[in-house]
Amino acid sequence: MVRDTFKLIEQIFSVSRLLRDTMSDSDDFTRLTIQQIRALTYLRAVKKAIMSDVAAHFCIELPSATSLINRLCEQNLAVRREDALDRRLVVVSLTDRGRKLTEQVRRNRKKKLERVLSYLSEDDRKHLSSVLETLLRKLQS
């Protein structure tokens, strides 16, 4: 039992590492840090966020979130504005360039993942999907 668990853990780490390497993008994302890429992905998902939401989402202090967003703004990937109702709040969103970049990367990664999954038979994909659904459900509860 312990040996099987250890083997499974090693397999998960190996697959995770190989997937990360396979899914990495070499074009416009090469000059961005992992945290910046995650921030772009977050902003794409939420559309607009106040700076304190960014800090909370990444479990970082507000000055660190401000620095993170400032670096994205310097590259014209995000824009920060004062909230129309409360000027103390800073609202952050993606620029057109940021949206296009994240969409391009999302499409590229989807193609790469489809290629990786093509190594599996239809039955294996269904089984993997079932196992991942169960694991996600347990982790989210």
Side-chain angles (χ1 to χ4, degrees), residues 57-72:
H57 179 78
F58 291 104
C59 302
I60 58 178
E61 297 295 325
L62 193 55
S64 296
T66 300
S67 177
L68 171 65
I69 296 303
N70 283 347
R71 288 191 305 272
L72 294 176

Side-chain angles (χ1 to χ4, degrees), residues 6 13-14 27 46 52 54 58 68 70 74 84 108 115 132 135 141:
F6 180 74
F13 282 130
S14 294
D27 30 328
V46 298
S52 58
V54 174
F58 291 104
L68 171 65
N70 283 347
E74 289 166 4
N108 290 347
R115 187 176 64 241
L132 291 175
L135 189 56
S141 62

Side-chain angles (χ1 to χ4, degrees), residues 17 19 25 29 32 40 63 95 100 106-107 139-140:
R17 189 172 33 259
L19 277 175
D25 292 285
F29 268 7
L32 299 175
L40 289 173
T95 61
K100 287 175 186 173
R106 189 193 67 76
R107 279 193 310 270
L139 291 172
Q140 291 172 342

Side-chain angles (χ1 to χ4, degrees), residues 33-139:
T33 66
I34 297 296
Q35 192 79 326
Q36 289 171 330
I37 294 168
R38 289 180 179 149
L40 289 173
T41 303
Y42 170 71
L43 291 173
R44 181 179 178 273
V46 298
K47 308 291 188 245
K48 292 182 183 177
I50 59 173
M51 197 65 75
S52 58
D53 290 342
V54 174
H57 179 78
F58 291 104
C59 302
I60 58 178
E61 297 295 325
L62 193 55
S64 296
T66 300
S67 177
L68 171 65
I69 296 303
N70 283 347
R71 288 191 305 272
L72 294 176
C73 292
E74 289 166 4
Q75 296 182 55
N76 193 30
L77 297 172
V79 63
R80 27 180 306 153
R81 296 187 176 97
E82 291 178 348
D83 184 83
L85 302 175
D86 186 348
R87 293 178 45 175
R88 296 171 296 171
L89 299 178
V90 176
V91 179
V92 183
S93 59
L94 292 178
T95 61
D96 286 338
R97 181 172 183 257
R99 272 189 294 284
K100 287 175 186 173
L101 180 62
T102 56
E103 182 58 31
Q104 172 191 346
V105 169
R106 189 193 67 76
R107 279 193 310 270
N108 290 347
R109 288 181 176 177
K110 182 178 182 241
K111 286 179 188 176
K112 290 176 182 180
L113 192 52
E114 285 172 347
R115 187 176 64 241
V116 168
L117 292 174
S118 74
Y119 302 147
L120 301 175
S121 69
E122 184 65 29
D123 286 344
D124 285 344
R125 283 194 299 269
K126 286 179 183 177
H127 185 69
L128 178 61
S129 177
S130 175
V131 169
L132 291 175
E133 282 178 23
T134 301
L135 189 56
L136 281 171
R137 211 173 25 253
K138 297 291 184 181
L139 291 172

